[in-house]
């Protein structure tokens, strides 16, 4: 609740987009808590924030946990922040219980998981594992034209903590706690989801260019109206992505119309596509047809499609899934295996180390919404399973 004050919205949610003043305030809050308890803090070149509790063998790679502090523009209190704070709670509980682990445990707040301000999302974890270069994201602009490089500089300079060089610390393993963001656990009446993997996702940008004209004088037959074209393009894409089983996810979440004047025929439209499916064959086949469908349905306007990210489906290793389930069972929490529909930093960590996730229920499964809610008991249960799993990994 304290972290949710940073970027708090009137409707009880959070607007704490990546590398904003609100994100910086939340980072500083976490750093202050960590330092009060004597944990070391570091940040890397993309602003990933690490809180470290040393192990007894300094030569060993750390077990990592965490999630993200950035939010959607109308986000909730728990998406991301929960995983960071559950990790910090584990470190504090280990101190209180005077438990020493062989390996260090590090809590990470990954930069820009949401990708709502600067695209693509999961940027910090992608750069950490080498799936993306820092240089490839520095010139990305937010919708207001702010360049990521500048927002990142401001963020890094706002916290004078030691800088960790890229690649200097590798994770032994990674476990992320997160609210489920879907209704399955609540419907099943279970406190813990043992996450088996994450569905794949693609993000694309579509730009449609027509010609500006006077709304009162330009005959409709002569217009090249970019918004009218975009409406027909989106209808064609809805058709392309129709799925009777309702597994394929297709979302146009941002649509910008230029110049955005009531009495000028729109000359340009920019919109985003978010496409997801658990099977890579489907994700590839449908996604690859998008450019042709866009061009065919753009009427007399020009259209370009640019792919921003393509993240293959992730399958977590059976050994990690088993370990999370065993921790939950040991503590007496009933659980079920389940895949994740949402993306998480864990999908990138899984490329470099054994990785797993722990889900807890959230109210009606609602997320990416200011009303997102979870009870203290549900969140504490997830943190206990996280603690048990982290300690067992950190003794390896
Ligand atoms: C992150 O919230 C995502 O799944 O897009
Ligand atoms: Mn999240
Ligand atoms: Mn999210």
């Amino acid at each position: 609740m304290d972290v949710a004050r940073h970027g708090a919205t009137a409707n009880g949610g959070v607007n704490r987009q990546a590398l904003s003043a609100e994100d910086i305030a939340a980072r500083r809050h976490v750093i202050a808590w960590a330092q009060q308890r004597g944990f070391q803090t570091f940040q890397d070149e993309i602003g990933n924030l690490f809180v470290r509790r040393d192990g007894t063998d300094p030569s060993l790679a750390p077990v990592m946990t965490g999630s993200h502090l950035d939010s959607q523009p109308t986000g909730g209190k728990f998406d991301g922040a929960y995983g960071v704070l559950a990790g910090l709670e584990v470190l504090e509980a280990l101190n209180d219980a005077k438990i020493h682990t062989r390996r260090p445990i590090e809590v990470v707040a990954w930069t820009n998981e949401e990708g709502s301000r600067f695209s693509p999302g999961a940027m910090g974890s992608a750069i950490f594992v080498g799936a993306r270069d820092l240089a490839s994201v520095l010139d990305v602009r937010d919708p207001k034209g702010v360049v990521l490089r500048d927002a990142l500089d401001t963020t890094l300079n706002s916290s004078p903590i030691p800088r960790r060089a890229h690649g200097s610390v590798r994770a032994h393993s990674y476990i992320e706690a997160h609210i489920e963001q879907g209704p399955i656990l609540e419907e099943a009446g279970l406190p813990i989801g043992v996450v088996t993997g994450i569905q794949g996702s693609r993000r694309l940008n579509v730009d449609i260019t027509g010609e500006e004209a006077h709304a009162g004088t330009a005959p409709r037959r002569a217009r090249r109206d970019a918004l009218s074209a975009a409406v027909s393009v989106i209808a064609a894409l809805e058709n392309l992505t129709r799925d009777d089983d309702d597994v394929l996810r297709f979302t146009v979440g941002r649509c910008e119309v230029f110049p955005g004047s009531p009495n000028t025929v729109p000359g340009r439209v920019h919109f985003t596509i978010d496409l997801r499916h658990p099977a890579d064959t489907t994700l590839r086949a449908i996604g690859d047809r998008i450019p042709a469908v866009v061009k065919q349905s753009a009427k007399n306007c020009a259209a370009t499609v640019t792919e921003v990210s393509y993240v293959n489906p992730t399958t977590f290793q059976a050994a990690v899934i088993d370990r999370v389930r065993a921790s939950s069972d040991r503590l007496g929490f009933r659980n079920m295996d389940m895949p994740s529909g949402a993306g998480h930093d864990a999908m990138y960590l899984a490329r470099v180390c054994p990785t797993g996730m722990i889900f807890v229920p959230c109210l009606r499964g609602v997320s990416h919404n200011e009303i997102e809610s979870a009870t203290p008991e549900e969140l504490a249960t997830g943190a206990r399973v996280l603690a048990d799993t982290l300690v067992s990994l950190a003794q390896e």
Side-chain angles (χ1 to χ4, degrees):
M1 294 307 120
D2 288 339
V3 169
R5 291 209 306 269
H6 303 297
T9 58
N11 295 326
V14 166
N15 178 5
R16 194 168 58 231
Q17 295 186 70
L19 307 175
S20 63
E22 295 78 19
D23 185 18
I24 290 172
R27 288 162 182 263
R28 290 170 60 113
H29 204 139
V30 168
I31 292 169
W33 272 333
Q35 291 178 343
Q36 272 163 28
R37 294 298 298 249
F39 303 127
Q40 297 155 270
T41 53
F42 305 90
Q43 58 188 347
D44 68 8
E45 56 182 2
I46 184 64
N48 294 321
L49 168 64
F50 302 85
V51 177
R52 179 181 177 97
R53 182 178 190 265
D54 277 331
T56 53
D57 185 344
S59 70
L60 296 178
V63 175
M64 292 190 174
T65 184
S67 196
H68 56 100
L69 292 171
D70 67 309
S71 81
Q72 291 287 313
T74 54
K77 300 184 184 77
F78 303 95
D79 174 5
Y82 168 59
V84 175
L85 298 180
L88 194 56
E89 180 64 28
V90 170
L91 298 197
E92 294 187 344
L94 293 179
N95 268 13
D96 294 344
K98 301 190 174 48
I99 290 173
H100 301 285
T101 56
R102 285 184 69 223
R103 292 181 182 278
I105 301 179
E106 295 196 353
V107 178
V108 196
W110 303 107
T111 294
N112 186 26
E113 192 277 342
E114 295 291 2
S116 47
R117 178 182 181 200
F118 295 108
S119 213
M123 200 178 259
S125 50
I127 291 174
F128 178 79
V129 305
R132 208 174 275 290
D133 281 343
L134 178 67
S136 73
V137 303
L138 287 175
D139 295 324
V140 172
R141 287 175 189 272
D142 75 1
K144 292 191 178 126
V146 177
V147 184
L148 184 136
R149 176 193 312 272
D150 297 335
L152 177 60
D153 263 0
T154 308
T155 305
L156 290 173
N157 292 331
S158 68
S159 302
I161 58 175
R163 191 73 67 88
R164 187 179 261 184
H166 179 71
S168 61
V169 176
R170 291 173 197 282
H172 161 265
S173 47
Y174 178 73
I175 304 288
E176 178 165 351
H178 207 284
I179 57 165
E180 181 203 327
Q181 307 180 276
I184 296 168
L185 287 174
E186 189 180 77
E187 279 169 15
L190 295 175
I192 293 292
V194 178
V195 185
T196 52
I198 301 177
Q199 71 174 335
S201 64
R202 299 176 78 165
R203 265 199 206 182
L204 302 105
N205 284 337
V206 180
D207 287 280
I208 297 184
T209 310
E211 187 176 45
E212 290 168 20
H214 194 292
T217 60
R220 288 181 66 180
R221 63 185 138 72
R223 291 182 183 186
R224 293 176 58 223
D225 181 331
L227 182 56
S228 167
V231 167
S232 104
V233 167
I234 293 171
L237 292 174
E238 294 272 4
N239 240 338
L240 171 70
T241 56
R242 182 150 299 135
D243 174 14
D244 291 340
D245 299 327
D246 201 10
V247 176
L248 182 66
R249 307 273 188 253
F250 168 80
T251 307
V252 174
R254 175 180 293 150
C255 184
E256 293 165 316
V257 181
F258 303 93
S261 163
N263 48 350
T264 295
V265 173
R268 187 163 78 82
V269 167
H270 169 85
F271 70 87
T272 57
I273 295 173
D274 181 308
L275 186 76
R276 307 195 196 203
H277 197 276
D280 195 45
T281 41
T282 307
L283 192 63
R284 182 171 299 280
I286 301 287
D288 286 357
R289 288 174 60 192
I290 288 177
V293 169
V294 168
K295 283 181 182 137
Q296 278 154 21
S297 49
K299 298 182 174 171
N300 58 356
C301 293
T304 58
V305 179
T306 320
E307 182 137 291
V308 181
S309 66
Y310 184 157
V311 188
N312 301 106
T314 305
T315 308
F316 295 140
Q317 288 178 19
V320 187
I321 298 169
D322 291 347
R323 194 184 290 256
V324 173
R325 193 187 306 106
S327 285
S328 184
D329 288 343
R330 190 158 47 233
L331 293 167
F333 299 128
R334 290 167 60 234
N335 55 77
M336 66 185 283
D337 286 10
M338 59 190 302
S340 173
H344 299 286
D345 295 299
M347 66 200 177
Y348 280 117
L349 272 294
R351 296 186 183 191
V352 297
C353 67
T355 293
M357 289 191 74
I358 299 164
F359 274 173
V360 297
C362 58
L363 185 69
R364 291 196 290 114
V366 177
S367 184
H368 284 196
N369 187 317
E370 292 167 285
I371 66 167
E372 187 180 271
S373 184
T375 66
E377 292 73 24
E378 288 166 332
L379 298 167
T381 297
R384 291 178 67 190
V385 176
L386 180 67
D388 194 78
T389 311
L390 289 176
V391 170
S392 84
L393 288 165
Q395 300 299 23
E396 269 187 1

